Amino acid sequence: MENAIPLAPLSPPIDPETITTLETIAQRVLWLSTYMIHYANKVRPDPDGMKVGGHQASCASVVSLMTALYFAMLRPQDHVAVKPHASPVLHAIQYLLGRLPQSMLTTLRDFGGLQAYPSRTKDPDGVTISTGSVGLGAAATIFGALTQRYLRDHFGYSTPGRYIALVGDAEIDEGNVPEALGEASAYGLSDLWWIVDINRQSLDHIAPEGQVVQIARMFEAKGWEVVWLKYGSKQRAFFERPHGHWLQQWIDDCTNAEYQSLLNADGAEIRRAMLEWGTGVGADMAGLLADVDDATLKELLMNLGGHDIFQILQAFTTAAKVQDRPVAIMAYTIKGWDLPIAGHIDNHAAQLTQAHITAMQERFGIAVGHEWDGYDVLDPIAQWIQQTQRQLALPQRPASPMPPGPLHVPETLGMRFPERASTQGAFGHILVALSAIKEVAARLVTTSPDVAVSTNLANWINQRGIYAPAERPNYWAKHGITSLLQWRETAAGQHIELGIAENNFYLALAMLGLAQELHGELLLPVGTVYDPFVARGLDALTYAAYAGAKFIFAGTPSGLSLSREGGAHQSIYTPLVGMGLPGVLYYEPAYAAELECIMCWGLQQLMDRQHGQSVYVRLSTRPITQAVRHSTPEWRRQVLAGGYWLRDYRAQLDYAQRPRVHIFASGVMLEEALEASDMASEDGIYANVINVTSADRLFHTYVAASQQGAPSYLDELLPAAERRVPAITLLDGHPLTLAWLGALFNAPLKPLGVVHFGETGSLQQLYHKHHIDTDAILTAMVQVLFEK
Ligand SMILES: Cc1ncc(C[n+]2csc(CCOP(=O)(O)OP(=O)(O)O)c2C)c(N)n1
Ligand SMILES: [Mg+2]
């Protein structure tokens, strides 16, 4: 199995009683997690005949590690991201710890019951980090630890917990893992452990040779300390025998594929393989193994460090001594440990048969009818658990020296914008204006994947500084070189600058956006990203939304405004992402005053921890004439509700007699919409312009209201009479965003927008090419009005 590793002392002072007790508990955890899946699949009535599923082998793989962790190490302030497929192990443990009622154990994967994968919003037993999409929950721990560090530096947060990821070895293949690892050391995080469950199996296959070493080297290259947990105590005791090192060398030389296959072979076959290897390298394996019977030989093969409580505790002790960097514990395990499917290539979704379960139940001495039993209060194990947990429970953290105080964000900041402005430009000014509200400014934190300057965060950064836990020298200032950007990096800074890594960006927003829930301290995270690269971090954005995090992000520049950059730099379908993602509200303001109002409201959303949602503003660098510059309460209500009439001909006496049309437009396209409306009026056409600030809000309030049979804001915005008027929808993005409005109309509706990849050109050339310029609007108008 790949490599020889340095061995720590064989016997540190970990008392035998603890080990025996933990071994006994681990057995119960193995039983409960296995039986939980068995029950859900083979005992509980299944109304629809569909597979229920669950992963007994993946669970067994981490039973020993998780038992040792939860019963002997974990403190209440720690946060754990549990490998998704080990959720039954987590629930079994929480049950034995008294944090989950027994009745829930029968509800795995049932409606309203325990979720398939640990969910912080849906599971009842204290999951704080959701997992499911492999690699993501683990990577989130890095940004959790970063958030904790940030809180400590800004608010004196004083009892930091440890962030721990129990991560499958194949999870490391996910790109979001290497993407995230470097940020941990860049920010000097140390309260961070990853325990890698090296069972050398993924869903389909056995890990390729060299993979484990590559993983370890990657951790090291990214500044992590690697702690090896490879051999079990029996193996290690054997290595101490005369010539015992040959066994170690055989283990190290054996390929992953062969080791896995031998886990399924009998002792005689294992011996044959060892002898064959010995002949090749000149080791007298026959002599070495002469007094080892076949059963013991098999036991030796199975005795990997990740299932040996003593070795696990020792690894934890070693890890705990590392104070200056994050730690990766490389724990060798067996997928399906102690089950009949142990180590088998087919075992990922395999489940034990009833006969297997019956045999296991007998072997573990669990009486029929007592399958769900925990430990009776008088049982010495129950008492041991109680005492250990008391010791591990630290006193409550003292109140923050800076109490949240009354946070208030006004509806408007009373800003004045120039006659022509872009929403991206306004965004920078709005952030700076928010700095004037002291309590709000203290909790604002911005982040960006290396595009802070080009998304207009420079003024904010100059004012609030860059966050760096350990102050870094500013050589520009030191050497007297002038620059517009002041890159002051201190622990008081409020901008978290990330590498070009949009996945990290959203994970950072996810964990900053859960600071209140995870650490009792509210942060108001605001991020900026190039809109086309929203898709680059989409999995993490989904993760953040699913976890219930609250944050604001600006996708900017968007659409064709990146015209000169060409091709795929012009975002097309991001509005659909915003609309499709639960928990995130997409707004596309046209005017600076709208953005001001949306930002203020967005911050209020972040403060409403119960019902608030995250907000995505899709912005542009294109300056347009500000048709609205002064906001009124009624106008703000309409902006936030999703849209308002900007050009309204309804009061004209001859309104009903004239040809008339509605133009629903979003964002920068309002410029063209108004121009087309003006031109149409010269031809006697009344072209109303309705500025859709949020197709998302309009759509979802409409859907929610219609489920209740109630009216929605759309009924106010668009009275029945107006639905007989032909319409055009228009945005610099995918036309589906607004085309659904057609479902409300008893008249033709023509959706304009971008459906092809872009290319380099001027805005006007590209608008023309994509049929969203004024000419295209006028043509569409003629079509909906006069063509049958
Ligand atoms: C992003 C993502 N892709 C694919 C899957 C499907 N999947 C679930 S588990 C798994 C293999 C995991 O292997 P490993 O992490 O080694 O865990 P093990 O089951 O071996 O303990 C895969 C491919 C997923 N959950 N998430
Ligand atoms: Mg694995």
Side-chain angles (χ1 to χ4, degrees), residues 550-607:
K550 299 195 201 315
F551 51 88
I552 296 175
F553 71 98
T556 186
S558 63
L560 298 175
S561 26
L562 267 167
S563 56
R564 298 290 175 183
E565 304 269 326
H569 268 61
Q570 295 155 13
S571 67
I572 297 172
Y573 58 83
T574 43
L576 300 177
V577 169
M579 288 186 76
L581 204 57
V584 176
L585 276 169
Y586 145 68
Y587 277 86
E588 183 148 354
Y591 305 119
E594 289 167 11
L595 181 62
E596 177 190 342
C597 140
I598 294 164
M599 287 296 288
C600 289
W601 179 80
L603 291 174
Q604 289 166 1
Q605 288 287 300
L606 307 192
M607 290 174 197

Side-chain angles (χ1 to χ4, degrees), residues 55 57-59 61-62 83-86 117 132-136 167-172 174 176 197-204 333 335 347-348 539:
H55 302 82
S58 302
C59 283
S61 188
V62 284
K83 181 180 84 166
H85 293 68
Y117 306 118
S133 172
V134 300
L136 270 182
V167 56
D169 47 357
E171 288 194 63
I172 310 284
E174 281 288 356
N176 53 50
D197 172 15
I198 304 175
N199 56 29
R200 302 160 305 286
Q201 289 188 251
S202 56
L203 195 159
D204 289 335
T333 56
K335 188 157 172 170
N347 68 9
H348 184 76
D539 200 13

Side-chain angles (χ1 to χ4, degrees), residues 434-590:
L434 281 166
S435 309
I437 312 170
K438 197 164 160 271
E439 296 77 15
V440 174
R443 286 172 192 276
L444 272 173
V445 49
T446 58
T447 186
S448 183
D450 197 29
V451 292
V453 173
S454 46
T455 55
N456 275 47
L457 283 182
N459 286 341
W460 162 263
I461 287 175
N462 284 347
Q463 208 179 75
R464 315 302 295 194
I466 304 284
Y467 174 61
E471 185 161 342
R472 297 177 194 141
N474 180 348
Y475 290 109
W476 300 93
K478 182 178 168 190
H479 299 303
I481 302 165
T482 50
S483 65
L484 290 178
L485 189 66
Q486 290 150 38
W487 205 254
R488 273 179 298 114
E489 298 175 281
T490 72
Q494 284 181 249
H495 172 77
I496 297 180
E497 178 74 0
L498 299 165
I500 319 167
E502 287 75 11
N503 214 83
N504 285 348
F505 168 70
Y506 285 116
L507 286 180
L509 287 176
M511 300 314 272
L512 293 165
L514 285 170
Q516 171 81 59
E517 286 72 16
L518 269 56
H519 300 286
E521 204 74 73
L522 178 71
L523 288 177
L524 304 171
V526 177
T528 61
V529 58
Y530 283 0
D531 201 57
F533 305 129
V534 166
R536 168 65 184 75
L538 199 46
D539 200 13
L541 172 57
T542 306
Y543 176 86
Y546 177 69
K550 299 195 201 315
F551 51 88
I552 296 175
F553 71 98
T556 186
S558 63
L560 298 175
S561 26
L562 267 167
S563 56
R564 298 290 175 183
E565 304 269 326
H569 268 61
Q570 295 155 13
S571 67
I572 297 172
Y573 58 83
T574 43
L576 300 177
V577 169
M579 288 186 76
L581 204 57
V584 176
L585 276 169
Y586 145 68
Y587 277 86
E588 183 148 354

Side-chain angles (χ1 to χ4, degrees), residues 737-753:
T737 312
L738 293 169
W740 60 271
L741 282 164
L744 304 174
F745 276 81
N746 295 318
L749 179 142
K750 194 171 173 67
L752 302 183

Side-chain angles (χ1 to χ4, degrees), residues 2 40 131 173 243 259 277 340 343 365 391 456 491 538 585 676 763 783:
E2 302 199 12
T131 54
D173 288 343
H243 307 294
Y259 204 94
W277 171 85
Q391 282 166 4
N456 275 47
L538 199 46
L585 276 169
L763 269 188
Q783 287 171 340

